[in-house]
Amino acid sequence: MERALNAMPAVPLPFDGLFSGTERIFWLYLLTSAAIALVLMLAAGSWPTRARLRAYWLSPDSRLDALYFLVAWGLRTALIVPLVLSVQTVAVWVMHGLNAFYDPPFLAWRYRSIVLAYTVALFLLSDLSRYWLHRLMHRSRWLWPFHRVHHAAEVLTPLLVYRIHPLESLLFALRHAVVAGAVTGVFIFIFGARLDLYTIFGENLFIVALFAFTANLRHSHVRLSYGRWLEHILVSPAQHQIHHDRRYLQSNFGSCLAVWDWMFGTLRLPAQTQGAPDFGIGPRGVRYSSVAALLMEPLRDIKQMLRRI
């Protein structure tokens, strides 16, 4: 019950994520991704030179991501967490709303069946909502200036996942609270307060099984494809790298499941692309060369758009 109704978790210290299974930079995820990358490079016979490794890890984008990682943690601590609704609050609202019109059925399912159904429902609806919000960040002229911060990088590293403008972080945190709270409220209304989640390392079982161990390869230059058939269902690192290619920014919005892209016409497979990936957003990417620029340039863009109205 407590886990099902848990509010936003306490904000950890920046590098606590190395020891938390809910974070991309959890040491086991990083180690697994590194091992997969090593196997792929050995199989291809293309071991990177020291100069290439230095150019990659010490590139302006890599250094900017490392600095912004610390800044983003501070902003999340000071601004975003206090503003976000808790899952518990939304769940209570949903339960009260349902109770106003219906009598709770309190279905007598077995406990394991309830936990499994809750885990699956929360995973599917959370992933679907992430798809639509991510797609909206690309399609809305008012939201794209903020999401463009993430896509400006021409070098992809695992820390790029944290290069998110605070406004976008706030929107995704609110999305989580609304979706998780709504699902939790509905399940408590139907089954009573007997909820829990199947988890690994404190994260939803399905997210870890389908996402975490190769998640860090998504923001990398290591091309790992799952094959044409499976990539209609699951998002591979290669598919997300296509999403960062400036030629294909309007494709592959899925987080864990590629089935949403397949269903809604935004799926692009590695076989449907040509040439080496062209990461970034082109010449305009130089506007985002500092932490201050990452934070302020989207606001300047919005200000100019408002003036043209």
Side-chain angles (χ1 to χ4, degrees), residues 28-29 32-33 36 201 207-217:
L28 183 57
Y29 302 158
T32 305
S33 294
I36 294 172
F201 307 130
I207 292 178
V208 173
L210 301 177
F211 182 71
F213 289 103
T214 59
N216 287 304
L217 293 179

Side-chain angles (χ1 to χ4, degrees), residues 34-91:
I36 294 172
L38 177 62
V39 170
L40 290 174
M41 286 187 290
L42 290 175
S46 58
W47 187 256
T49 64
R50 183 179 299 179
R52 285 182 61 189
L53 289 173
R54 184 182 298 111
Y56 176 77
W57 288 110
L58 297 181
S59 69
D61 275 319
S62 298
R63 287 183 278 125
L64 180 59
D65 287 342
L67 179 58
Y68 190 73
F69 169 75
L70 299 174
V71 173
W73 168 82
L75 290 172
R76 181 173 183 268
T77 303
L79 300 176
I80 296 175
V81 171
L83 293 175
V84 175
L85 286 170
S86 71
V87 173
Q88 181 177 10
T89 299
V90 176

Side-chain angles (χ1 to χ4, degrees), residues 91-305:
V92 170
W93 288 349
V94 170
M95 286 188 293
H96 285 332
L98 291 172
N99 282 320
F101 296 98
Y102 307 101
D103 293 326
F106 293 138
L107 300 183
W109 285 22
R110 295 178 59 185
Y111 175 72
R112 289 183 179 178
S113 298
I114 296 173
V115 172
L116 179 59
Y118 178 57
T119 303
V120 172
L122 188 56
F123 167 69
L124 290 177
L125 291 177
S126 180
D127 202 58
L128 176 60
S129 66
R130 284 186 63 88
Y131 167 85
W132 280 110
L133 181 53
H134 188 187
R135 181 169 174 170
L136 184 62
M137 297 298 297
H138 279 257
R139 299 293 173 86
S140 168
R141 68 188 184 106
W142 299 102
L143 295 179
W144 170 242
F146 299 98
H147 190 56
R148 188 162 52 202
V149 164
H150 182 70
H151 279 275
E154 296 181 359
V155 174
L156 309 188
T157 73
L159 285 182
L160 180 60
V161 71
Y162 297 101
R163 191 200 283 194
I164 303 295
H165 194 276
L167 178 64
E168 181 175 348
S169 295
L170 178 61
L171 290 175
F172 272 92
L174 287 171
R175 173 211 61 85
H176 167 75
V178 170
V179 172
V183 173
T184 300
V186 168
F187 266 75
I188 292 178
F189 174 78
I190 295 175
F191 299 106
R194 297 192 295 153
L195 298 187
D196 206 339
L197 280 173
Y198 282 126
T199 64
I200 300 177
F201 307 130
E203 183 60 274
N204 188 300
L205 166 69
F206 294 100
I207 292 178
V208 173
L210 301 177
F211 182 71
F213 289 103
T214 59
N216 287 304
L217 293 179
R218 297 180 176 207
H219 292 125
S220 77
H221 294 234
V222 178
R223 194 172 180 86
L224 173 62
S225 173
Y226 294 161
R228 184 179 182 87
W229 180 85
L230 193 55
E231 285 179 334
H232 280 78
I233 302 173
L234 306 179
V235 177
S236 71
Q239 282 171 285
H240 192 73
Q241 290 160 9
I242 291 170
H243 176 71
H244 276 269
D245 190 322
R246 71 189 69 178
R247 299 169 298 175
Y248 308 116
L249 291 175
Q250 301 302 325
S251 61
N252 296 353
F253 299 113
S255 179
C256 292
L257 299 178
V259 68
W260 314 125
D261 285 295
W262 187 18
M263 289 173 59
F264 301 116
T266 55
L267 179 67
R268 185 176 293 273
L269 301 175
Q272 297 172 320
T273 64
Q274 296 180 348
D278 190 10
F279 298 132
I281 57 174
R284 297 193 72 189
V286 299
R287 298 171 60 203
Y288 306 91
S289 58
S290 69
V291 170
L294 292 179
L295 295 173
M296 299 308 299
E297 284 298 320
L299 300 178
R300 294 190 184 101
D301 289 342
I302 296 299
K303 183 179 179 180
Q304 291 179 0
M305 291 165 61

